[in-house]
Amino acid sequence: MSVIAWDGHNLVADRQLTTDGMIQSATKIWRLKDGSLVGAAGVFSNAVAFVKWLDAGADPEAYKDDWDTEEGGVTIIRITKDREILIYVSQVPFTIEDDFAAIGSGAPYAIGALAAGLNSIKAVEIAMEYSADCGRGTNILALDI
């Protein structure tokens, strides 16, 4: 349960990780070796493995099919250095052609905030306020550093 939002400049994620009814804090966004930004929502252990797979070059032979099952499912947002927005729910991404995007259970709140002209920081804050599945503060990565 997460919210991760992109506004064209910053990738922002909440930090709430819920496991077996227990809430903990975790980082859900990373900068890959190629400079792209990536955020992960879903079963956290599989999400981290998926991100490591991407960072290692996304070898199709090393892909785990259970990453895109209902029980092990993950959703990944990747922002390339050219600001292309890629969404992965399997090893083949699709492109979002809007200027902003969000994933996770808090995405509807964040998308509404982004569509209203707010930035991704405020969008994630709004999602954390109104979604019981999001919280524990934020992490922020800027594409241009």
Side-chain angles (χ1 to χ4, degrees), residues 67-108:
W67 289 340
D68 52 34
T69 65
E70 188 170 324
E71 294 81 27
V74 297
T75 302
I76 304 292
I77 184 170
R78 184 177 190 175
I79 311 302
T80 69
K81 291 187 83 167
D82 296 330
R83 288 184 162 65
E84 182 179 17
I85 304 168
L86 303 173
I87 303 292
Y88 295 80
V89 291
S90 69
Q91 65 180 310
V92 179
F94 57 90
T95 301
I96 300 296
E97 297 177 356
D98 298 316
D99 295 329
F100 56 82
I103 63 169
S105 57

Side-chain angles (χ1 to χ4, degrees), residues 5-135:
W6 168 252
D7 63 6
H9 304 285
N10 293 310
L11 188 64
V12 181
D14 78 308
R15 297 182 41 77
Q16 182 171 315
L17 181 67
T18 306
T19 307
D20 298 326
M22 181 174 46
I23 296 173
Q24 298 174 308
S25 299
T27 298
K28 303 174 187 179
I29 57 174
W30 303 268
R31 186 178 311 276
L32 299 184
K33 293 175 201 166
D34 68 2
S36 63
L37 304 180
V38 64
V43 176
F44 197 64
S45 58
N46 287 347
V48 170
F50 196 112
V51 170
K52 288 181 179 182
W53 173 77
L54 285 173
D55 206 21
D59 176 9
E61 296 296 319
Y63 184 79
K64 307 286 189 233
D65 288 335
D66 62 346
W67 289 340
D68 52 34
T69 65
E70 188 170 324
E71 294 81 27
V74 297
T75 302
I76 304 292
I77 184 170
R78 184 177 190 175
I79 311 302
T80 69
K81 291 187 83 167
D82 296 330
R83 288 184 162 65
E84 182 179 17
I85 304 168
L86 303 173
I87 303 292
Y88 295 80
V89 291
S90 69
Q91 65 180 310
V92 179
F94 57 90
T95 301
I96 300 296
E97 297 177 356
D98 298 316
D99 295 329
F100 56 82
I103 63 169
S105 57
Y109 301 103
I111 289 289
L114 291 163
L118 299 176
N119 65 35
S120 55
I121 297 167
K122 190 64 179 167
V124 169
E125 289 173 352
I126 288 169
M128 290 189 308
E129 184 173 345
Y130 290 99
S131 173
D133 298 327
C134 305

